[in-house]
Every structure is written in structure tokens, then in C-alpha cells.
Amino acid sequence: MAFDFYMPDIGEGVVEGEIVGWKVKEGDKVKLDQPLVEVMTDKATVELPSPRAGTIKKINFKDGDICPVGKVLVVIEEDGGAAATTGNGNGHGHAHAAPAMHAAPTAPKAAPAGGAGIQVVDATESRDRVLATPATRRLARELGVEIGRVPATGPHGRVTTDDVKRFKDSPGAPSAGGQVRAPSYAPMSIAKGGEEERIPLRGMRKRIAESMARSKATAAHFTYVEEIDMTELVSVRDRAKSRAAERGVKLTYLPFIVKAVVSGLKKWPMLNASLDEATQEIVRKKYYHIGIAAQGPQGLVVTVVRDADKRSIFDLSKEIDRLAEAVRTNTATREELTGSTFTISSLGKLGGVLATPIINFPEVAIIGVHKIEEKPAVRNGQIVIRSLMNLSISVDHRLADGWDGAMFLQDVKALLEDPTTMFMEMV
């Protein structure tokens, strides 16, 4: 018999997923637990295995499509002796078996009388996610409206289709929280002008585009830059490299920067915070999960070093390397890619002279780490060669002022320039 496999509820308040790529096609024979499709939610990609053995009868969403939780993803014609299923009135069964990522699928909820289809409620009430039906999300995309910026009037903070239409008609109107929204624009079409290649915007690149656009449209960015004399820290790191190597640790400057950042955040807690837009509350976080922006095979991702304040320099180095390897091999888990409270962006030796990094929304600030170079510097009236580096910090001016950003960076500078004081600051 035919078996309906619904898009599962992968958890963490996820209400939809993007189809990254199918591993099967209609007519293919599949085995139990054989990989069917890769689905991306936020920054994590999961592989959904087949809950039944049989033949792929119908694939309902193609690569690049957005599939809401509770929609039939694929129909499988089962082999003989299939497990019992629950009928849906159309001769098909509902998928209730949990897939390999240990997230139980969610069957669709009954539509209300004269209803508009499936409605999925975010049971976690995560305010980083927008509550809206798939039809409302589709309308927002069609109108070129960023749904995360639409004031919600529906139950439980749900964005309705009327909310989207009102926002489109009055793009400059203030939200329920009193914040003035920037205008939204219709999607721009690029006319063909010669030989070209067109690449679908999907998967990780699409998530990065959405995240960066949301951050720039929401946070009021300003950037402050300071020059850091890394000469003493270069010497400390050179002396510690051999001892680190004995422990299997490749010691870089990042663990030292993480420690200095955490110390600064404890003094300037407004930079380790987020704005709860739904309740209009500033949330100061008393835990320190430091994001490390890293380039992976699919694009830029932020890995998260949890409880960085409780880790040693060597432990931080090991964790940063482990997370970087997980990104390179595309095996990073959702927990390793979410939940940061402050982010460090570094390109290592390619760090350049200056950058103005975009804040990792919904955080308040991000530091850009640039390359260390030997340059002439004036010390005590003499020109000497020192190892100099620039640090830049982008801050959300809604929550923190220039004074906060500058003083925070001055504290980080003091610790990096005199590592002995950094060690005294450590827990």
C-alpha cells in the first residue's frame, strides 16, 4: 500500500525545512533507513532516511522548495508485509516512525472548517522563530516581505496573512512595539545581458543571505577599531607551542582572544545580550557561549564554544579545532551551530587590515580579528619593530552605545598586550 512520509518535526521550534537535495527519484526502490533527502533548517542540515522499504511513488517537493512540517514529503509504495499504518481517508498511511536523527515526525493537524490548510504551532515559543502558516510564509515571499519584521496580531504571536498584507501596504508604519519598520521591496529580476551562469540560491548560501539581511535590516550597526600590540602575546604563544604540541594541541591566537573577550564581556554585560523583540526586554546573558565564524565547504558558519569562561587555553584550542573539523566535514550538529552569545570573526593570516563584520543576529556585537604583521612603531621616543594587529567591533547601537563598545575593546586590548594580566583574570 502507499505510505505517506510527512516532513518530521526536527525540534527546536522548526516549522519548515528547505530541500537541499534528493538522493532518490520517483520509481527508485529503497530499503528501510536508506537516505532519502537532505533537508536544511536554519544552519543545520539533516539527512532523512526512509521509514519503509518499497518504491518511491511520488516526490512532492523538489530541490530548493520549502516544505512545512506536517506536509507529505514523499509517497512510498510499500513492499509486502508493511507495518501497520493509520489511514488518512485516502488509502494512504501516516508516517509515525522516528527517522534516524531521533526526531519523531509530526502528522498533519486537521484544518479548521473552511480552513486554509495545515497550521503548525511552535510549541517551544522560541522568539527567534516566526509563527506563521505555510500559506502566510508563501504570501510573504511572493510580496517580497521579510516575515520576521511583520508585527503579529494572531494568537500566540502568529503572523497572519492580513498582517503581511498590511505591512506591504504600509511599509513605513510602526510595529506593535513602537519600532518603525524599513520599507520592503518587491523581488528584483536581473535581465540577461550576455553569457552567464545561473545558480539556484538555496541551502547554506540562502540561509547566510537571509541571516545577514535580517541582521543589517534590524540591528543599528556601528563599528569601532583599535590597534593591538601583540608582541608580548606572540612571545608567550611561541614559548607555549611546544608544551601544547605535547598534549596534541595546535596552539593559535584564537584561544587567547576568546579569553580576553570573555573577561571584557563580564565587565560590559550589555555586549553579551540580546533584544527580545516580542516582549521589548533586554536579555543580559550570564553564560558565555562564544561563536567562532568559520568558512566551511558550503559557506560561512558560526560554531559555538560553550561555557568558554570555564575552559583553559589548551581546552579552548582543542574545542575550536574540533568544531572547525566538524564544519570541514559537514558533520557539525545543530547544538554546535546555535546558541552563541557573542561572535568572533577571524580569517587568520588572511585577516586583512580592517573589516566591519555583520552582527550575528540576535547578538549585540561581533569582533573582527585581523592579521598580525611586524611594523614600525614608536615606543619611548624610539622607532621599533612590533607585532601589530587591528581588532574591529561592530555593535548594535539599539542596545549599546559607542562608549560601551570602545571601553570593551580597550579592556580586550589591555589583556592581549599584557598576557600576564590575562592569566590573572582567568577563573
Side-chain angles (χ1 to χ4, degrees):
M1 66 180 291
F3 179 88
D4 291 345
F5 180 36
Y6 294 95
M7 175 67 177
D9 179 358
I10 301 172
E12 297 284 344
V14 171
V15 296
E16 63 188 11
E18 180 181 349
I19 307 302
V20 176
W22 284 95
K23 299 181 179 297
V24 296
K25 60 183 182 296
E26 291 181 0
D28 282 358
K29 298 281 289 184
V30 294
K31 299 177 181 178
L32 179 66
D33 291 334
Q34 177 180 332
L36 291 181
V37 62
E38 282 191 2
V39 178
M40 174 172 286
T41 62
D42 293 332
K43 293 183 179 179
T45 301
V46 296
E47 192 175 75
L48 302 183
S50 177
R52 295 290 190 272
T55 302
I56 301 298
K57 183 179 180 181
K58 183 175 175 55
I59 292 175
N60 291 327
F61 293 85
K62 63 181 183 298
D63 291 1
D65 282 353
I66 303 297
C67 180
V69 169
K71 280 286 190 179
V72 178
L73 189 61
V74 59
V75 180
I76 302 171
E77 190 68 39
E78 294 185 78
D79 290 341
T85 58
T86 302
N88 65 0
N90 294 319
H92 291 179
H94 287 181
H96 291 292
M101 85 292 295
H102 307 299
T106 300
K109 299 178 183 179
I118 298 166
Q119 296 189 19
V120 180
V121 176
D122 178 1
T124 65
E125 297 184 357
S126 168
R127 296 186 174 100
D128 291 338
R129 298 292 303 175
V130 177
L131 296 185
T133 65
T136 302
R137 292 173 183 278
R138 181 168 58 252
L139 175 64
R141 287 194 293 270
E142 291 171 353
L143 296 179
V145 170
E146 184 184 345
I147 197 167
R149 306 183 65 209
V150 177
T153 63
H156 308 293
R158 181 185 301 281
V159 176
T160 68
T161 55
D162 287 340
D163 292 337
V164 172
K165 292 174 182 176
R166 278 194 297 268
F167 185 83
K168 177 65 177 177
D169 293 338
S170 304
S175 72
Q179 296 174 315
V180 176
R181 304 296 185 175
S184 57
Y185 302 95
M188 179 179 181
S189 178
I190 305 297
K192 185 176 177 62
E195 183 180 353
E196 60 189 27
E197 177 185 8
R198 293 201 169 225
I199 303 169
L201 180 62
R202 63 174 61 137
M204 182 62 74
R205 190 74 260 162
K206 185 175 182 179
R207 288 294 180 270
I208 293 172
E210 292 171 346
S211 177
M212 294 299 98
R214 182 178 187 184
S215 180
K216 288 295 287 185
T218 304
H221 284 62
F222 77 85
T223 301
Y224 174 81
V225 185
E226 183 57 87
E227 184 179 69
I228 314 296
D229 189 338
M230 297 284 283
T231 306
E232 296 301 322
L233 187 54
V234 168
S235 178
V236 168
R237 183 238 183 184
D238 286 344
R239 293 197 302 271
K241 281 169 63 176
S242 59
R243 179 165 294 186
E246 292 173 1
R247 303 187 183 190
V249 176
K250 182 180 179 182
L251 188 60
T252 66
Y253 295 105
L254 261 182
F256 297 98
I257 295 172
V258 169
K259 274 297 185 186
V261 162
V262 168
S263 177
L265 292 176
K266 289 183 176 180
K267 293 181 181 178
W268 301 95
M270 190 60 80
L271 299 183
N272 197 56
S274 292
L275 174 63
D276 188 325
E277 295 178 335
T279 63
Q280 290 295 289
E281 294 174 324
I282 297 172
V283 183
R284 287 187 178 180
K285 299 168 184 176
K286 298 183 180 181
Y287 49 93
Y288 303 89
H289 300 337
I290 304 300
I292 306 292
Q295 188 69 25
Q298 298 183 21
L300 183 69
V301 297
V302 176
T303 58
V304 183
V305 179
R306 304 192 109 76
D307 299 315
D309 57 318
K310 301 175 183 178
R311 296 175 181 265
S312 68
I313 292 291
F314 286 167
D315 188 24
L316 284 171
S317 190
K318 285 182 179 179
E319 183 66 358
I320 292 170
D321 281 348
R322 186 189 70 79
L323 291 170
E325 179 62 22
V327 169
R328 283 191 294 269
T329 57
N330 201 29
T331 58
T333 65
R334 182 181 180 82
E335 184 177 349
E336 293 168 339
L337 299 174
T338 57
S340 56
T341 62
F342 183 97
T343 295
I344 298 171
S345 180
S346 172
L347 286 176
K349 294 180 180 179
L350 299 177
V353 176
L354 176 64
T356 56
I358 298 174
I359 296 167
N360 184 23
F361 187 86
E363 296 167 19
V364 172
I366 182 173
I367 269 190
V369 180
H370 305 91
K371 63 183 176 182
I372 301 173
E373 286 189 305
E374 288 191 338
K375 293 181 180 181
V378 177
R379 297 291 184 269
N380 298 320
Q382 301 293 318
I383 297 177
V384 295
I385 301 300
R386 306 290 289 183
S387 296
L388 303 180
M389 174 188 77
N390 288 336
L391 281 183
S392 58
I393 182 169
S394 295
V395 181
D396 186 347
H397 217 322
R398 296 178 305 165
L399 273 69
D401 296 325
W403 172 264
D404 300 296
M407 292 305 296
F408 165 80
L409 204 56
Q410 289 298 325
D411 282 337
V412 172
K413 170 185 170 78
L415 293 174
L416 293 176
E417 291 189 339
D418 187 355
T420 56
T421 58
M422 183 192 306
F423 298 136
M424 294 175 186
E425 294 272 357
M426 290 181 185
V427 177

